[in-house]
Amino acid sequence: MADETPLLDELEKGPWPSYVKEIKRAAKKNKASKDLLGIQELSYKDRVTHWKHGGIVGVTGYGSGVIGRYCDVPEKFPNAAAFHTVRINHPAGWFYSTKALRKLCDIWEQYGSGMTNFHGSTGDIIFLGTTTENLQPCFDALTENGFDLGGSGSALRTIAGCVGKARCEWSNIDTLDLVRNLTTEFQDEIHRPRWPYKFKIKASGCPNDCVAAIARADFTVIGTWKDSLRIDQAAVKNYADNGFDIKGLVIDKCPTDALEWDEKAKELKLRADDCVRCMHCINKMSKAIRPGVDTGATILIGGKAPIIKGAYLSWVLIPFMKIEPPYDEIKDLLRRIWDWWDENGRTRERLAELIERKGLKTFLREMGIPPVPQMVYKPRANPYVFF
């Protein structure tokens, strides 16, 4: 490739971080990364991509975890003619030791471009760019060091969750244990694609939903509580005495008017039946208000990006479920959903689209779940509706 990349050089200007700068760093010691710059420069010049559609490529025994990437002008860029992406299943909560990270980097510098993405949108560790010949030895080296491939294609994608109780005082469930347990249970579903399309599971420990599971997962687990908020009235009074605008910032912002402020008594009152556990008051007055103690999760379904029928936010399927090892209730529900989806889904039809086509009533009957008011999903199912 030519060393001149005037169009890409524009992306290095300005105060923001530049991926072009990072690729140029990698290109100093890796020919594939150097050719990658040439491919993108040519794509900008021609105003058309020079990457062909994925293609099937993988390692022994696995149908997913490797995404084929081929350049359509291999004669110009022989070192990046094949530039496959490898997805690696991340540890729950993205906890690594420095030793593990160095080992991953050593493996990738030996078998690939050396460029990584921590992390992909599903949560995987992403290795960007290797040849077909290097896939199997790279995979072997990864497994020898305790790592496995993630999901890709029409399979269960790598399960992800927030950092949970390891670092967050608001987490109502052990997201790390849940992610690890489900990942171990559903190895075949992750590594051997056999469904109409992809399926994603994500878990957040509380309704703040720090991993955006409601917008990004077909099956969403949101930690919550069944009993009432715990309110420390002495701490509430302290907020008021220090000038905090409880009425303006908390009471008036409560979406269901579940809170009432007694200015004279400096007391916060809760109508528990009206509380939808949105976390707003907790976020604003974290020293005075805490979640209840009867914890579990709300199960939602249907979140997806706008591929065929537009974007969906997931909606409530089960308002409250206890989340405790060995998580048999969740596993049984998942298997029932997959069986129905696999039997009725069309090619590239996500779960939400199938439910819309067949009807929520049909889906609930097949799942053996009685309808409840919390299942109402419009307009919440459209992320572009703002209240």
Side-chain angles (χ1 to χ4, degrees), residues 163-178:
V163 73
K165 293 185 176 182
R167 277 189 170 179
C168 180
E169 62 182 312
W170 306 129
S171 187
N172 296 284
I173 59 175
D174 189 343
T175 54
L176 303 187
D177 186 64
L178 177 65

Side-chain angles (χ1 to χ4, degrees), residues 132-352:
T132 304
E133 297 74 28
N134 277 348
L135 285 174
Q136 191 65 48
C138 179
F139 170 70
D140 293 341
L142 287 167
T143 54
E144 286 170 9
N145 285 277
F147 285 91
D148 199 0
L149 296 191
S152 67
S154 297
L156 174 60
R157 297 301 179 85
T158 307
I159 303 167
C162 71
V163 73
K165 293 185 176 182
R167 277 189 170 179
C168 180
E169 62 182 312
W170 306 129
S171 187
N172 296 284
I173 59 175
D174 189 343
T175 54
L176 303 187
D177 186 64
L178 177 65
V179 167
R180 179 175 175 81
N181 190 293
L182 295 182
T183 299
T184 303
E185 178 80 14
F186 296 124
Q187 287 291 290
D188 274 2
E189 286 77 7
I190 292 172
H191 294 136
R192 295 170 180 84
R194 61 176 186 269
W195 290 335
Y197 203 20
K198 56 190 172 186
F199 192 95
K200 297 181 179 180
I201 302 172
K202 298 187 191 300
S204 284
C206 80
N208 281 328
D209 192 14
C210 290
V211 294
I214 288 174
R216 301 166 59 224
D218 302 87
F219 189 92
T220 302
V221 182
I222 302 292
T224 186
W225 58 96
K226 196 173 185 180
D227 51 345
S228 299
L229 289 169
R230 290 175 287 164
I231 301 175
D232 183 341
Q233 297 295 347
V236 170
K237 186 176 183 301
N238 192 47
Y239 271 99
D241 290 344
N242 282 281
F244 184 76
D245 182 6
I246 294 178
K247 185 178 186 306
L249 295 176
V250 179
I251 306 301
D252 293 346
K253 303 289 187 182
C254 178
T256 56
D257 294 326
L259 290 168
E260 182 180 329
W261 174 235
D262 186 332
E263 180 70 39
K264 186 175 182 180
K266 298 287 178 71
E267 186 177 42
L268 192 62
K269 298 178 181 179
L270 170 70
R271 289 184 290 275
D273 289 345
D274 291 334
C275 177
V276 291
R277 300 161 181 80
C278 71
M279 294 288 292
H280 174 74
C281 61
I282 296 175
N283 294 333
K284 288 295 184 181
M285 301 176 67
S286 56
K287 293 180 180 179
I289 309 175
R290 302 190 67 81
V293 294
D294 186 5
T295 57
T298 296
I299 307 298
L300 305 94
I301 53 168
K304 60 178 282 293
I307 301 298
I308 296 178
K309 286 193 176 181
Y312 290 70
L313 294 181
S314 54
W315 65 93
V316 172
L317 178 64
I318 298 177
F320 186 83
M321 176 189 289
K322 296 297 287 185
I323 305 295
E324 298 169 342
Y327 311 110
D328 287 336
E329 195 170 354
I330 280 186
K331 293 172 185 175
D332 290 344
L333 176 58
L334 280 167
R335 289 189 172 100
R336 293 202 305 275
I337 289 173
W338 292 336
D339 285 346
W340 182 75
W341 178 48
D342 200 21
E343 183 72 24
N344 296 278
R346 295 170 179 168
T347 302
R348 292 178 67 83
E349 185 174 48
R350 294 286 284 273
L351 176 65

